[in-house]
Amino acid sequence: MAKSDVEADSGSDGVDSVVVSSIKNVEYGQRPRVVVKVRADRDYTFRGLSNRDITLSGDKASVAKVSVSGRTLTVSISLPKIGTTEDTALEVGDVYWGDDDDGSVGWDQADDANRYEVKLMRGSSTRETIQTSGTRYNFRNAIRGGGRGTYSVKVRAIAGSYKGKWVESDDWEIDEDTLKDLGGKIAGSSSESRTSGGPGNGSYSATQGAWMKDGNGWWYSNADRSYTVNNWQKINNNWYYFNKDGYMVTGWLQSPFSKKWYYLDPSSGRMMTSQWVDNGKYYVDANGIWISDSSSGSGGSGSGKQNGSEQGAWLKDKSGWWYCNADRSYTKNNWQKIEGAWYFFDRYGYRKTGWLQSPFSKKWYYLDPSSGRMLTSRWVDNGRYYVDADGVWKP
């Protein structure tokens, strides 16, 4: 119901105009409140009027409030509840499984429903809950993930904030044959293929399939209805590891093949690469391998060249190259000597290249465009400029 659905007019003497000002409470089960403003002609007034002076015709409408301001009379009218008061208005007559044994379920339409809440039950446990405006839904994926068991479906109709009673379907017993027809997880049907190219020494790559979840966790059903156990698998260009029961592993993992450590995203399970992980405490390289000497650090910020540890490691992320020292710090806004060569790192700790004016001496230096090391005693920048033994440009 909207203002445009209500017409207001008056043929009475002394009335200049009648306008529907607002309509509130228009959901199912609510009592709509319509506010009408009546404006008097210049020679007339509504002063002194009250609720008792207003008469309404129609079924169960009542005057809730009357107020007068100048020549304008404002009347608030309360209308009957929207929808029927009968219990059957939100009653779902029947809930039934589809004839094709494909996981679909249907139900009878309730008279006043604008949506339905639907629960898939496995025994006394809820496997999945959805809301839909239709009268059919397919729970195939949820049943495939749940495995063998006794399934039923509960449905109730909803209109606004009002909810009908639950109506339940018959039980459907899912055995191994039915589960196999649905493409679900069957005990003993596992994949232990080994191909090259994945993390460690063992991997399995599948191009089609579906993620499934049951009470034990997430697993992946391949297109051939097999599933990977004790192995890596590449899915949509991301690497995942599945344990001896075929469930996705998360967090830290030591590969049984390479014995190297990897970090698998706690929420998605995908192998992380080229970033700090585990709340920023450790770094994994482009192959997902933990760099044992890496850890987040505050970084240096001295006032001149400083010697760095010879036991650190060069690391690269999407922003560029940086150097992780053995003490797990990294240099910022400063020079650092690494394996006999000088490098300069910006305020974020990333290695600089090309021309650099030192923030300390204000002299110009040239850092090799590919390696970042400071060049000395040579012509640089395509032979146009010369830097001396200290790397300083000589104009």
Side-chain angles (χ1 to χ4, degrees):
M1 180 185 294
K3 289 194 295 183
S4 58
D5 298 324
V6 180
E7 294 183 2
D9 194 9
S10 174
S12 301
D13 293 337
V15 175
D16 178 54
S17 63
V18 181
V19 176
V20 177
S21 175
S22 66
I23 300 179
K24 298 180 180 179
N25 304 334
V26 294
E27 296 294 329
Y28 184 90
Q30 294 180 329
R31 296 178 64 90
R33 183 67 64 88
V34 180
V35 177
V36 178
K37 291 184 179 293
V38 184
R39 186 170 178 78
D41 284 335
R42 187 171 298 277
D43 296 331
Y44 291 81
T45 183
F46 292 115
R47 290 178 183 175
L49 289 181
S50 66
N51 291 29
R52 295 187 298 273
D53 299 313
I54 306 296
T55 301
L56 298 176
S57 60
D59 184 28
K60 298 181 181 179
S62 60
V63 177
K65 184 180 179 181
V66 173
S67 62
V68 178
S69 177
R71 293 162 50 203
T72 301
L73 170 69
T74 301
V75 182
S76 180
I77 303 170
S78 181
L79 300 179
K81 286 184 179 180
I82 297 176
T84 178
T85 58
E86 298 178 5
D87 293 339
T88 57
L90 291 179
E91 182 179 290
V92 176
D94 191 18
V95 182
Y96 45 87
W97 291 103
D99 295 331
D100 297 329
D101 289 346
D102 61 352
S104 63
V105 65
W107 54 92
D108 294 342
Q109 184 173 348
D111 291 340
D112 289 351
N114 52 39
R115 67 187 188 279
Y116 300 89
E117 185 175 5
V118 187
K119 287 185 177 182
L120 174 68
M121 310 296 296
R122 184 176 183 270
S124 59
S125 301
T126 302
R127 288 287 306 166
E128 185 175 345
T129 302
I130 63 101
Q131 287 197 9
T132 177
S133 59
T135 56
R136 292 190 68 82
Y137 192 79
N138 195 304
F139 283 109
R140 179 176 182 174
N141 287 342
I143 296 173
R144 290 195 302 184
R148 295 178 299 175
T150 302
Y151 290 84
S152 63
V153 174
K154 293 181 177 180
V155 180
R156 67 177 175 184
I158 301 175
S161 60
Y162 283 71
K163 297 179 180 180
K165 296 179 180 180
W166 288 107
V167 179
E168 191 167 3
S169 72
D170 293 334
D171 290 342
W172 185 19
E173 191 69 31
I174 302 295
D175 56 20
E176 286 205 359
D177 290 337
T178 306
L179 189 61
K180 185 176 180 180
D181 291 339
L182 292 172
K185 186 175 181 179
I186 308 299
S189 174
S190 63
S191 169
E192 297 189 40
S193 303
R194 299 286 185 265
T195 61
S196 61
N201 296 318
S203 63
Y204 177 77
S205 182
T207 57
Q208 293 181 347
W211 282 104
M212 307 292 176
K213 187 179 183 183
D214 60 24
N216 295 313
W218 286 96
W219 60 283
Y220 191 79
S221 174
N222 298 310
D224 61 1
R225 299 182 181 178
S226 66
Y227 59 95
T228 299
V229 298
N230 284 331
N231 210 349
W232 293 96
Q233 181 169 344
K234 194 173 187 179
I235 303 169
N236 294 331
N237 294 319
N238 290 307
W239 284 103
Y240 301 84
Y241 191 87
F242 298 88
N243 66 16
K244 63 183 179 65
D245 297 313
Y247 291 103
M248 180 185 77
V249 177
T250 61
W252 285 107
L253 168 77
Q254 186 176 28
S255 170
F257 310 110
S258 67
K259 306 303 179 184
K260 296 178 180 178
W261 285 93
Y262 299 81
Y263 190 75
L264 311 177
D265 184 73
S267 58
S268 70
R270 67 184 179 90
M271 184 187 75
M272 311 297 284
T273 61
S274 302
Q275 59 190 284
W276 290 97
V277 297
D278 197 1
N279 295 317
K281 293 185 290 186
Y282 306 98
Y283 191 85
V284 291
D285 66 15
N287 295 313
I289 299 170
W290 168 50
I291 304 298
S292 59
D293 287 334
S294 72
S295 176
S296 59
S298 58
S301 57
S303 59
K305 293 181 181 179
Q306 59 183 21
N307 288 314
S309 169
E310 300 295 334
Q311 304 300 316
W314 282 104
L315 302 175
K316 186 180 182 181
D317 59 25
K318 62 182 180 181
S319 297
W321 285 96
W322 60 282
Y323 191 79
C324 182
N325 299 310
D327 63 358
R328 299 179 178 180
S329 66
Y330 58 95
T331 300
K332 297 190 299 183
N333 281 329
N334 210 348
W335 293 95
Q336 182 172 345
K337 193 172 186 179
I338 302 170
E339 296 181 352
W342 284 103
Y343 300 83
F344 192 89
F345 297 87
D346 66 17
R347 60 177 178 155
Y348 300 108
Y350 291 103
R351 185 183 71 191
K352 298 283 290 182
T353 61
W355 285 106
L356 168 77
Q357 187 178 28
S358 171
F360 312 113
S361 67
K362 305 304 180 183
K363 296 179 180 180
W364 284 93
Y365 298 82
Y366 191 75
L367 311 178
D368 186 74
S370 58
S371 69
R373 67 186 179 90
M374 185 186 73
L375 299 180
T376 60
S377 302
R378 69 185 69 188
W379 291 93
V380 297
D381 197 3
N382 295 318
R384 292 183 295 173
Y385 307 97
Y386 188 82
V387 290
D388 65 15
D390 294 321
V392 178
W393 168 51
K394 294 296 183 181

